[in-house]
Amino acid sequence: MTFKNKKILITGAGGGIGKVLVRKFKDQGAIIAATDLDISGIDADFNFDGDLLDKDFCDSLPGRAQEKLGGLDVLINNAGIIKRGKITESTDEDLELSVKVNIEAPFRLCRSSIPIFAEAGGGAIVNVSSCWGVHPGPSHPIYIMTKAAIASLTQCLGRDHAPENIRVNAVCPNEVNTPMIKSGFTIRGFNPEKGIEELNKTVPIGRIAEPDDIAEVILFLASDSARYICGSLVEVNGGKPVS
């Protein structure tokens, strides 16, 4: 894989997977535009300070990235949030926030990026869904619903825009060792490190994923090595089914 002089837009670039994506793409020669709520620690070529809850920011971001980078070849919709608990424990705020970040923002970013890719003769989009969006598990209905929506959107766009040489795929992780999963343990009163140790025991390969494990699949899907993969949902789960 090589991304020499490829122009790439990454959302959620300040998170566990996002920071690894920025580093790995840069190592491969890419020119990167990135965004997150806190852009201070992101080592991209251009950082866009904005909120994915702002529809105007989402609609304009691919065009602004194209202008700053001198083109746009790849969009990585990596940003996401998780709300836990049964539906009877959820709030309107939980629902609205999850839908806006996990569904509406990627939808708008794809919609704005696709004409740019089409005019340039092609491009690639990699969305971050979840194994839970493909095989629903217990007690996360809002998260599962939103990740299922992204999985379906990926399959639809992959089919619709393949004739324009635009490949749209999604990576579907299970548990990943990031601040997001650790925060869930903390909220529930558990020691995060002990929680990770227990989760590791449930995975056939012996451990939950590290951000690098997911990032490298995203790079593959964004690369010319995956030139015939389109509209696919790639599960990265260490052999562990959703339970």
Side-chain angles (χ1 to χ4, degrees):
M1 294 184 294
T2 179
F3 292 92
K4 186 173 177 59
N5 295 323
K6 293 290 187 180
K7 285 81 173 182
I8 298 175
L9 173 59
I10 303 172
T11 70
I17 296 173
K19 286 182 177 178
V20 174
L21 284 171
V22 171
R23 171 173 55 81
K24 285 184 175 291
F25 275 119
K26 286 192 74 173
D27 288 346
Q28 293 289 333
I31 307 168
I32 299 169
T35 188
D36 210 320
L37 282 174
D38 181 3
I39 61 174
S40 59
I42 302 174
D43 186 26
D45 296 281
F46 296 96
N47 288 330
F48 289 96
D49 187 8
D51 190 343
L52 293 180
L53 299 179
D54 181 346
K55 64 181 182 180
D56 293 329
F57 175 72
C58 293
D59 288 340
S60 66
L61 184 58
R64 293 169 64 198
Q66 178 194 28
E67 182 179 355
K68 285 288 187 181
L69 301 178
L72 189 63
D73 299 297
V74 177
L75 167 66
I76 309 294
N77 279 312
N78 172 62
I81 63 168
I82 183 168
K83 293 294 182 180
R84 301 172 174 87
K86 295 181 180 179
I87 194 169
T88 50
E89 300 164 353
S90 65
T91 66
D92 287 353
E93 290 75 18
D94 292 336
L95 176 62
E96 182 177 5
L97 182 62
S98 298
V99 168
K100 283 185 175 294
V101 175
N102 292 355
I103 302 176
E104 185 176 342
F107 176 93
R108 290 182 178 278
L109 289 160
C110 288
R111 186 174 65 179
S112 296
S113 297
I114 285 171
I116 296 172
F117 294 147
E119 185 176 356
I125 298 172
V126 183
N127 296 319
V128 178
S129 180
S130 169
C131 288
W132 288 61
V134 182
H135 311 285
S139 301
H140 290 69
I142 293 178
Y143 178 72
I144 289 168
M145 175 182 70
T146 59
K147 290 302 185 178
I150 287 301
S152 292
L153 178 67
T154 297
Q155 292 173 313
C156 290
L157 298 184
R159 179 171 181 169
D160 288 347
H161 298 284
E164 299 165 282
N165 194 32
I166 300 169
R167 297 184 304 100
V168 186
N169 295 291
V171 63
C172 302
N174 208 323
E175 295 104 344
V176 185
N177 189 8
T178 63
M180 179 184 286
I181 197 168
K182 290 179 179 178
S183 70
F185 288 120
T186 302
I187 289 170
R188 288 173 285 176
F190 301 122
N191 179 292
E193 299 306 323
K194 291 292 185 183
I196 297 296
E197 288 179 15
E198 291 303 311
L199 271 182
N200 288 340
K201 298 174 184 176
T202 69
V203 184
I205 210 169
R207 59 174 177 82
I208 66 170
E210 293 296 329
D212 281 70
D213 298 320
I214 309 304
E216 291 190 6
V217 177
I218 292 172
L219 262 73
F220 168 70
L221 291 174
S223 76
D224 290 340
S225 296
R227 58 191 172 273
Y228 203 68
I229 300 177
C230 193
S232 293
L233 309 177
V234 181
E235 296 185 48
V236 187
N237 57 18
K240 178 182 177 178
V242 173
S243 57

